[in-house]
Amino acid sequence: MDRAIHLPPTPGFAPRRLEEGEFSPDLVKGGADGGAFVTVQDMTRFWKALFSHQLLDAASTSLLLTPHVTVNDRGGSYGYGLWIQHHASGNVYKYHVMGYDPGVSFHSGYYPEIDTISVICSNQSDGAFDMMKQIEIQIGERLE
């Protein structure tokens, strides 16, 4: 079954999973430009599955995680579908994804040197970024 979520029309109420065959006119599915709603548990499973090659084989995972575009002179780059931040030494500091809209924000990252996953979902436009900054102060080098 597709893991579609029905979002109620009023913000602040919890979404519910659709039953098999149920249709909702306001069905939400993510697209290439975003629009997806995720849970902390789903993103944690995503990172674990990605790095254990349950989503892609080793060669495809490596290609996804390879920097393809340099985005700044502070070690930031972009792979296929995710951001990559490097230490000044060149080692990968984190792989991360994020999303922001008015009233909601999301940031999730995997820190390979310490084998740590961070997932932050917020009901504030900049809440996830601010929390991510505080987490990175606690775990060490912050490069953004």
Side-chain angles (χ1 to χ4, degrees):
M1 178 178 153
D2 187 69
R3 296 194 63 200
I5 300 286
H6 168 77
L7 296 176
T10 307
F13 289 93
R16 67 176 176 81
R17 295 217 182 267
L18 294 174
E19 297 301 320
E20 185 73 40
E22 186 177 359
F23 173 79
S24 173
D26 55 348
L27 188 64
V28 176
K29 291 189 180 190
D33 68 341
F37 286 78
V38 299
T39 67
V40 171
Q41 294 83 2
D42 285 343
M43 281 307 303
T44 301
R45 283 193 295 268
F46 165 78
W47 288 118
K48 288 179 178 180
L50 177 65
F51 285 97
S52 65
H53 307 297
Q54 294 174 348
L55 296 178
L56 302 168
D57 62 28
S60 296
T61 300
S62 178
L63 184 61
L64 179 99
L65 300 175
T66 298
H68 296 283
V69 177
T70 300
V71 295
N72 61 43
D73 60 357
R74 297 181 316 277
S77 58
Y78 198 72
Y80 286 143
L82 50 78
W83 299 96
I84 305 164
Q85 184 67 49
H86 293 86
H87 290 290
S89 67
N91 293 338
V92 173
Y93 173 59
K94 70 176 173 178
Y95 300 98
H96 60 111
V97 294
M98 66 194 87
Y100 302 88
D101 274 321
V104 295
S105 61
F106 155 82
H107 193 286
S108 182
Y110 173 69
Y111 302 80
E113 291 180 330
I114 58 174
D115 190 30
T116 299
I117 295 168
S118 172
V119 184
I120 306 151
C121 297
S122 175
N123 63 353
Q124 297 181 11
S125 299
D126 59 358
F129 183 75
D130 293 342
M131 180 65 73
M132 182 252 334
K133 288 190 298 186
Q134 292 303 312
I135 289 170
E136 290 184 354
I137 287 169
Q138 296 300 311
I139 64 173
E141 183 178 0
R142 185 170 135 26
L143 299 171
E144 295 185 79

